[in-house]
Amino acid sequence: MSVAVHPAAPQRPSRRESAIAAALMALLALIAVAVLREQKRPHPAVENFLYARALAAAARAPEPAALFAPPEGTRALTAPERFDRDSLSDKIDGKAELYLSAGFVRLDCQRLALEGDEDAWIEVFLYEMGSFENAFSVFSAQRRADAAALDVAEFAYAAENAFFFVHGTRYVELIASGAGEPFTRAMRAIARALTAERPAGRPAWTERELFPAAGLIPESLGRVAADAFGLAGLDRVYRATYRTEAGEAMLFFTRRESAAEAQALARAYLEMLRAFGAAIAPAEGLEGASRIEVLDTFEVVFTRGPFFAGAREAADPRLALDLARRLDERLAEAGHAPR
Amino acid sequence: MRPADPLNRREFLRRAAGAGLGITLAGGLSGLAFDPEGPAGLPREEAKTGLPDFSLPGTAGRLAIARGAERRETLGLALRALGGIESFVRPGDRVLIKVNAAFASPPILSATTHPDLVFELVRLCFAAGAAAVVVTDNPINDPASCFALSGIGPAARRAGAALVLPSEGLFTPVSLAGGSLIRNWPVLTGPLAGVTRLIGVAPVKDHHRSGASLTLKNWYGLLGGRRNLFHQDVHRLIAELAVLVRPTLVVLDGTTAMMTNGPTGGSLSDLRETRTLIAGTDPVAVDACGAELLGKRPGDLPFLGAAERAGAGTVDFRRLAPAEVST
Amino acid sequence: MSLITARRASQVFFTALFLWFCAAATLGERFTELSGWPVNLFLELDPLVALATLLSTHSLYRGLLWALLTVCVTILLGRVFCGWVCPFGAMHQFVGWLGMRGRSLPARLEKNRFLPAQNLKVLVLAFFLAAAALGPAGGGSLWAGLLDPICLAQRSVNLALLPFLERLGVAARGEPRLAQGALAIAAVFLAALLLNLHRPRFFCRFLCPLGALLGLIGRFALLRIGRTAEACSGCGLCERACEGACAPTGRIRTPECVVCLNCLADCRHGAIALATRPSAGGEIPLPDPGRRAVLAALVSGAALVPLGRVGGSTGAAWSPSLVRPPGALAEEEFLARCIRCGQCMRVCPTNVIQPAGLEEGFEALWTPKLDFRAGRSGCQHTCIACGHLCPTAAIRPLRLEERLGTAEFAGRGPLRIGCAFVDRGRCLPWAMDRPCIVCQENCPVSPKAIFTRAVYPPVRMEEPLRVGEAGGERIGLAAGRLEAGRFATGDYFVQLASGRRIRIRGHGEREIELSAAIPDTELPAAGSALEIAIRLQQPYVDPRRCIGCGVCEHECPVLGKRAIRVTAENESRHPRHRMTL
């Protein structure tokens, strides 16, 4: 192998070689991109590390202070408890869904015993719902038929052993272990303590003004937060029942982001009723409205600007139409009002 | 770089064949051996399949409906119509009474089994010669306060029964043969140890999720772990519970029924005095009967049909010719 | 762009990626921490790891399937992994290049000559595969992890290089981590690298079992280096920088070629090419170590593992000081999977996992062992990181519920890695009359696994104390003196004749102030002897609750040989090691 040594002259790579080399570089770049994308998804070890850290932080978090000073005649029986979205069902089991779908934030509850009677207590449930509308939704959704009027708050009713009312953004239930005067007195005192602690202020809520006044049953005023009338997607619906000589019926409306959304919602509603075998025809007497006969009741639904509204559960088609027209007038007036 | 001559081409083909074979072998072997789960580590606790059958031969299909306002009386009437407590509890038996103590709710709200009923049933068991009576449940809220505030704990103790509160060591994993939900799930089996008779006692309640909470839903209280998950498929779960748990007897207390806002209720106005107590050995039939008190039909409660199809009982309870008695 | 440039870029890329993965493998969500980086990528691409675990466990765990990619590429293209991807190989190549600078051409050609000793790596491979092939029933063991290049590099960087850099202050996160046994690990690493100064790619050519395996797998490579007869003048320049020492001038030894392509650049006649046709000078497609040598290697590998266990290291003579991480399999299964890569040690947030030395036997060398003095704390009982990082599931990935013994694992209880034992001869309240319950305070489980019982022995005084006058909450001394401040800590009590003890709140040299009044009937008489008792809470361990996390050992103030120590008794992974019913 005796050959003179010359430093090898560098050869220019051929085009094919350059192409292959470039392709390989591209492959490396792809690998780098793939690795970077992997980096975004946390490793299970990291997920657990973060979770354990959160657990430790929560364990160190201070206990919630007593909900409020027990009023005269009562004393705290158990420590206050707090439940969030994940743990709400630990307290109220299946009913949690109602609250969760209405924007539930937090539940604080505590039992207060009546002075002088070991076995008599009242459990206070403070559901923080995030907004007045949400609190009103769960209030109206659970309103018992034979409720007695109650004056502790603007929206309140009483049962033999319980008070239910809305205060600011909270829905409050006071449930006593028995019925009778001592309980009622104590519940009034608790209600006063709660409402005094945080003045509710006037709810900035003008929707109910939109319901025509004549024939309205005030206690029936309600709000359905989600899945109204069996249609998923029909949320934030205000409803009220009317009683006239022609019978009873319900008026409802919901305000959407745009007229297009309201119309889409109306179409979905009609589709759903068709599946139940409803007969649908244009309503005479109200432009653009549809008249529906389904399951022995009559309905008239329509859209007006961003509103989707209507009358339902009427035994008489003329009643449905009449109520719908009155609502339409009010909505037309309100159409220009700011949200 | 093309294989220029036949020799090279043959060599290339040989290599290609070899490479192809190699890749296939490697791929096949990897596929066969691939183990995404990893080693099992500790020997898995073998899940028990099923629970013991506590039903008594010869007592199938008995159903009694007792009407009256006083629980002690209606319970006595119903049991006598079924053949007497003696046909279910013999001297020396160890009886487990599974109550509904799910919430720390006062008795007047009817969200839990009424303490008077618990007291009377325990008393009757002892009168029939039972050697021991145990009362238990795995409540949703804190167990101690549930048993205390619902009155069930004090009533049980007054009658001489032992109260067993759930604790972690009392649960063991159980699988239902053929079940898809109850697989390796912690069940409160501790109190069942040594027990010879199982009696379920539940109030009649509306339930937001399952339609109604009667004697079949009562077995939910034997589940541990994060059982809330089952709410997503609650009807199938109740049907599986109906197959898993075969009691000696069930008692459905419809003296005061929770008509709305179940399962927690909260207002006395949720309740109606329906003054009926149903007892029987077929929990599906008992529930179908109790559903009528709530104004519901079996069609409104899918879990009844599912339980019947799974062979756990009969929905058409009238075919069992129930004995109807009243005070 | 020439292919050589591409190859260099590839080597730099993969080496940098490898080093980045090593550095980032610490628990956390930030970009520079573990977050989602696939830190096990190189171990998973390694076909030797995959094959060895396949032999020893008859399964291919999760990410090890990536090795199939390397195998397919090697089947088609030969040892491109060695030349383009392997980070250890890149390091060797670099040091080798440094070592060759300034050498004359004849010297270079001499250094790159093929030596029959290069067949040694095939014997090394045979040895390791035989050790693993004993299989799950026969006690197959992954000694391959000792010399596998990726495992070796991973271990060396994780357990020697990075701790060393941290100690120098480079990329340190808080306290620099302790790395026991780093000397031995670093010595092997450095030796391998420095040998390149003697011959380039020394490890790759002579020792690397993975290189041998890839050489065998690449038997039917479609594209390979070869000579074209016409253009070749036999000058031998192609061997000037031949990394694999594969003798391209003569009959090229394909299993040695690492596809570095240096020969393509060096040949001035265009006689070398990467082609599908065989080399004009002939090929030797398989290594030839000799049948007898291979047989000897196989027999040694198969025999040494059981021979190593004849002493009972995995049976009755198991080592109690070998506390394994939570989730580790029973010892025999563990040894069938542990490749000694050091990933678990790198990710452990408290730094308690350390490589075992030879004190636990040769087979346990560099496998994970918990040292509670070395770490920053004990083994955190809510942490499950090590199992999720282990590429071969020698440590199983646990769920938190299984570790804590909650939810469906409630019947089984929490996972135990050992049990703590109080050394009463060293413990302060037991042996030294000094109050201390640091272990009990730090026990993380609830209810605690360490409980205490109080005893009240009398304090030894140089001069016996005699009461002067006593009344209410005061006692004056007639004889004896009290050292300033010593008895006011709240642990000291005056022991009355009646048996009552009253805590000492404060004292002067000759006067004691009590925290409660002495009942008149029990006042000590003037001139009587006064006894001061010290309250000692003596710790006891409840083996039903102790999970062996070692926080107690870590916190114990007896800093040398700790007065409470965790050993592997009662560990969950070995039901045979149970201590309690």
Side-chain angles (χ1 to χ4, degrees), chain A residues 11 17-18 39 41 43 48, chain C residues 1 3 35-36 267 382 384:
Chain A
Q11 302 158 355
E17 189 177 331
S18 290
Q39 187 266 338
R41 294 189 317 153
H43 202 273
N48 180 73
Chain C
M1 178 196 274
L3 278 178
S35 51
C267 178
T382 52
I384 47 170

Side-chain angles (χ1 to χ4, degrees), chain C residues 184-494:
Chain C
I185 296 173
V188 169
F189 185 63
L190 271 179
L193 285 180
L194 291 177
L195 278 169
N196 295 306
L197 297 176
H198 173 58
R199 273 180 183 269
R201 284 222 182 210
F202 189 95
F203 181 86
C204 306
R205 294 178 191 176
F206 296 99
L207 292 173
C208 183
L210 177 60
L213 180 65
L214 294 178
L216 291 171
I217 292 177
R219 162 82 179 82
F220 296 110
L222 298 179
L223 269 183
R224 49 182 75 188
I225 297 284
R227 269 192 310 153
T228 53
E230 311 83 49
C232 178
S233 68
C235 68
L237 270 176
C238 50
E239 295 192 9
R240 192 186 73 99
C242 174
E243 292 293 328
C246 54
T249 340
R251 286 180 72 195
I252 184 168
R253 293 172 179 272
T254 330
E256 305 296 325
C257 171
V258 297
V259 200
C260 66
L261 306 180
N262 283 343
C263 48
L264 261 64
D266 282 334
C267 178
R268 284 181 300 139
H269 305 282
I272 297 259
L274 191 62
T276 52
R277 57 178 148 63
S279 175
E283 287 177 359
I284 302 175
L286 283 176
D288 179 25
R291 209 174 325 154
R292 271 180 285 203
V294 171
L295 205 53
L298 285 173
V299 167
S300 318
L304 280 179
V305 173
L307 279 173
R309 295 192 187 167
V310 142
S313 56
T314 52
W318 60 279
S319 169
S321 55
L322 186 55
V323 178
R324 293 263 189 227
L329 301 178
E331 192 64 12
E332 293 209 5
E333 283 107 54
F334 180 83
L335 291 171
R337 285 179 183 259
C338 179
I339 51 172
R340 300 142 171 88
C341 62
Q343 292 286 66
C344 54
M345 302 167 204
R346 177 79 190 140
V347 83
C348 176
T350 52
N351 200 22
V352 281
I353 308 184
Q354 300 285 339
L358 288 170
E359 77 276 359
E360 302 290 352
F362 180 74
E363 226 189 330
L365 183 64
W366 296 335
T367 57
K369 168 183 168 175
L370 266 60
D371 182 335
F372 299 108
R373 286 196 327 163
R376 269 179 230 149
S377 163
C379 171
Q380 282 172 1
H381 79 306
T382 52
C383 173
I384 47 170
C386 47
H388 282 277
L389 224 66
C390 180
T392 54
I395 308 173
R396 273 187 305 133
L398 295 172
R399 282 176 45 209
L400 187 59
E401 286 82 10
E402 185 175 354
R403 175 123 203 231
L404 295 176
T406 57
E408 57 263 39
F409 300 96
R412 204 189 289 165
L415 197 77
R416 296 187 304 270
I417 54 175
C419 188
F421 291 85
V422 178
D423 186 341
R424 294 185 183 179
R426 300 174 70 84
C427 174
L428 295 178
W430 277 104
M432 313 238 176
D433 266 16
R434 303 197 70 75
C436 169
I437 46 163
V438 174
C439 53
Q440 190 257 6
E441 282 169 358
N442 283 284
C443 180
V445 297
S446 172
K448 289 189 190 264
I450 300 180
F451 61 96
T452 60
R453 293 198 175 112
V455 295
Y456 295 86
V459 175
R460 294 178 316 127
M461 308 291 295
E462 270 115 36
E463 268 178 74
L465 304 175
R466 289 205 178 277
V467 176
E469 80 286 344
E473 293 181 1
R474 311 185 84 82
I475 298 182
L477 294 179
R481 280 177 324 165
L482 301 175
E483 218 177 290
R486 180 173 162 204
F487 301 99
T489 59
D491 299 304
Y492 292 87
F493 293 73
V494 158

Side-chain angles (χ1 to χ4, degrees), chain A residues 102-146:
Chain A
F104 170 82
V105 175
R106 188 177 59 242
L107 167 63
D108 287 308
C109 51
Q110 186 176 26
R111 282 188 200 88
L112 303 178
L114 295 190
E115 271 314 301
D117 189 346
E118 271 286 304
D119 293 323
W121 78 88
I122 296 168
E123 189 162 11
V124 179
F125 293 83
L126 299 176
Y127 291 91
E128 175 56 64
M129 300 302 295
S131 73
F132 172 78
E133 284 79 8
N134 290 341
F136 183 68
S137 301
V138 294
F139 169 82
S140 50
Q142 296 177 80
R143 193 177 193 130
R144 276 77 172 177
D146 54 351

